[in-house]
Amino acid sequence: MIRRTSLIDIDRIRENLVSLIRIPSVTGQEDAAVSHIANWLQRFDAEIAYWNDGIASLQRDPRYPGHEVERAWAPVVVGVLRGEQPGPSVLLTGHVDVVPPGDYDHWHDEPFSGVARGDRIFGCGASDMKAGLVAAMAAFEAFADSGRNFPGRLIFAAVPAEEDSGLGTLAAIRGGWHADAAIIPEPTLGAEGVPQLVIAHAGAMSLRIRITGKSAHASRRLQGESALDHFITVYHAMREHEQALNAGAPHPLMQRHPLPYATNVGTIQGGLWSSTVMNSLEAQVRVGVALDETIQQAEERFRSSIMTAIGDDPWLRDHPPEIRLLASGFGSAQIREDHPLVTSLAEATEEEFRKTAPITGMPYGCDMAGWVRLAGVPTVVYGPGEIELAHAPDESVSLEATYRVARVLVKATERLLETDLEDLGLHHDGEGPSGGGAGASGDRPRDRGSDR
């Protein structure tokens, strides 16, 4: 039988990566990129599902995480290869959307050029995560071109809106897609040139905080109550809460990070006129969600801490800040270290890179939370990009790393397809999903690609 890794072609990877980078798929404008991948899937003898999930319908879903970018729908494309024997379903999935490139003057080249310099391919989204998506495409193509002499099903899904609360993965789950194991090739390349195996990540939610003040003429400032001054009190309370949260006994997988669970004030708006004491202020805040807690628990933890901390302030006691959840974003997620997903990727990495893949957790949220919490699918994050280069001018990725990750994905998928279904369960001895995510046990959408 042909070795599937021999079908991974580095020139083909370069071609696909450059083509995908040249499609400016900024969050909310992913249609062309998803269409491009749908056309690519039609080259193979694969089952294809391609649809738009309307935003109104998504907003009515109780699992709706919120979104910030205007859109009418979420486009999703899924391809399925069915093996000749019964077996597990393995999902390779990634997001097509990228963050806006910002000021073009900060880029050496046009952000969507896909320029190559030596081993590096440059462009907005190159590292996060078009290289990972292309590595998954290469692995899927290797299986498609090598016949169907394998057990189970290989599923590939390209989703939008990961940069906007994971709405695209929710759309895929709502479409009925499920698997026994999933790999998301987000950027995890480490300093040693080996991808890290991310088996846990923090969550994040967005909150709006409104502060009420009292207007007065600026020359009579003491007669008013500045909303800005009172926000500074709240801000200090947020910083103290962040410090206390991170000073607690950290999860072993998060210990290497100086700030596993960050709180960040992203925007502030307030005031009407320079000569008027500011009578109101609104801030949008990103708050980290710890492992082993839900979004709801994190929100209550944050709200209670802030209200307790400002209890001695007379104005804020009588005019408490309004704290409202804007978007639940990503919950935290984790799987056990001895799961076959982890061991399969670790063994394949050892073979390909001749080095051990570090097993770790990350302080950022991603689509892993959606698959684990909403669908109960054991998921690992493992990919060729570098998180340090993501969301930044002159973003780039190593072509060689992308090629080698594609080979690892093939080897790991082969192992997983041969794994007993019972061993692929998410939990030990029937214990509940990490954090108790909605719909994560007993309410799984049926995998339309797995009629076993």
Side-chain angles (χ1 to χ4, degrees):
M1 185 180 72
I2 189 171
R3 289 173 55 247
R4 293 187 184 91
T5 51
S6 69
L7 299 176
I8 303 293
D9 185 282
I10 195 167
D11 292 328
R12 180 84 177 121
I13 286 176
R14 179 192 294 108
E15 176 187 339
N16 282 337
L17 180 54
V18 170
S19 296
L20 202 55
I21 289 172
R22 288 178 176 173
I23 301 173
S25 52
V26 174
T27 297
Q29 305 168 31
E30 305 100 336
D31 297 67
V34 174
S35 176
H36 173 83
I37 292 173
N39 289 334
W40 165 79
L41 279 169
Q42 294 196 42
R43 302 176 187 177
F44 314 110
D45 182 21
E47 299 169 34
I48 302 172
Y50 180 21
W51 76 99
N52 292 314
D53 199 345
I55 192 65
S57 178
L58 282 159
Q59 287 176 306
R60 289 192 297 269
D61 193 300
R63 301 165 295 182
Y64 167 66
H67 74 287
E68 300 177 45
V69 176
E70 288 299 318
R71 62 172 67 243
W73 52 70
V76 181
V77 65
V78 176
V80 180
L81 298 173
R82 295 177 177 268
E84 294 174 349
Q85 305 93 36
S89 294
V90 176
L91 170 67
L92 305 178
T93 181
H95 65 89
V96 303
D97 59 316
V98 302
V99 299
D103 189 342
Y104 278 35
D105 289 341
H106 293 164
W107 290 76
H108 283 87
D109 304 289
E110 200 278 334
F112 300 103
S113 62
V115 166
R117 292 194 183 91
D119 178 53
R120 308 296 299 187
I121 308 293
F122 291 81
C124 186
S127 189
D128 182 18
M129 61 167 294
K130 290 188 173 180
L133 201 58
V134 166
M137 291 165 65
F140 186 89
E141 189 168 338
F143 274 85
D145 289 343
S146 60
R148 297 295 182 270
N149 186 26
F150 59 87
R153 313 288 183 264
L154 177 58
I155 306 169
F156 170 86
V159 301
E162 189 272 350
E163 302 291 358
D164 191 14
S165 297
L167 204 62
T169 286
L170 174 59
I173 293 168
R174 279 164 47 88
W177 294 98
H178 183 267
D180 297 301
I183 303 171
I184 303 177
E186 286 271 18
T188 72
L189 198 68
E192 300 298 318
V194 180
Q196 300 170 89
L197 265 165
V198 176
I199 66 171
H201 68 74
M205 59 183 174
S206 298
L207 299 168
R208 183 181 69 194
I209 300 178
R210 283 180 171 168
I211 307 292
T212 299
K214 178 183 176 183
S215 62
H217 193 283
S219 65
R220 298 291 186 267
R221 181 174 65 81
L222 297 181
Q223 295 178 0
E225 292 284 349
S226 170
L228 178 59
D229 288 347
H230 293 303
F231 175 73
I232 290 172
T233 300
V234 173
Y235 179 81
H236 285 307
M238 286 192 291
R239 279 287 171 261
E240 290 173 3
H241 173 65
E242 177 191 60
Q243 183 177 10
L245 175 64
N246 286 282
H251 191 286
L253 290 169
M254 308 299 285
Q255 285 180 343
R256 73 181 185 87
H257 300 290
L259 191 64
Y261 310 118
T263 296
N264 180 66
V265 178
T267 68
I268 298 178
Q269 294 180 322
L272 299 172
W273 195 253
S274 62
S275 293
T276 301
V277 173
M278 188 183 296
N279 71 337
S280 66
L281 178 149
E282 179 177 307
Q284 293 190 8
V285 182
R286 182 266 196 199
V287 177
V289 178
L291 295 181
D292 300 317
E293 73 174 346
T294 65
I295 294 286
Q296 291 77 18
Q297 290 167 339
E299 182 185 2
E300 178 55 34
R301 177 250 301 162
F302 177 83
R303 188 188 304 274
S304 175
S305 174
I306 299 305
M307 292 306 186
T308 299
I310 63 176
D312 294 334
D313 184 288
W315 178 264
L316 289 172
R317 185 174 58 244
D318 294 337
H319 305 83
E322 175 190 321
I323 302 175
R324 186 171 74 84
L325 186 68
L326 276 178
S328 58
F330 299 105
S332 59
Q334 59 182 305
I335 69 166
R336 64 182 196 268
E337 190 169 334
D338 64 348
H339 192 279
L341 253 176
V342 182
T343 56
S344 295
L345 279 164
E347 291 168 1
T349 300
E350 188 81 35
E351 292 174 6
E352 182 64 31
F353 286 87
R354 303 301 181 197
K355 293 180 181 178
T356 300
I359 297 174
T360 187
M362 288 297 180
Y364 53 76
C366 69
D367 279 337
M368 175 181 173
W371 290 109
V372 171
R373 286 183 170 270
L374 303 183
V377 178
T379 305
V380 162
V381 180
Y382 176 97
E386 297 154 83
I387 193 63
E388 292 79 11
L389 302 179
H391 300 191
D394 293 334
E395 182 177 355
S396 68
V397 71
S398 163
L399 180 62
E400 176 69 18
T402 306
Y403 165 75
R404 297 178 79 174
V405 164
R407 289 172 55 89
V408 170
L409 293 179
V410 168
K411 294 177 180 181
T413 299
E414 289 174 336
R415 286 174 163 86
L416 289 166
L417 291 174
E418 298 283 352
T419 302
D420 189 282
L421 279 171
E422 294 300 318
D423 295 333
L424 290 174
L426 185 59
H427 319 294
H428 284 303
D429 301 324
E431 71 182 55
S434 170
S441 62
D443 187 29
R444 297 179 177 180
R446 180 172 174 268
D447 171 16
R448 301 189 312 185
S450 295
D451 294 326
R452 292 193 292 273

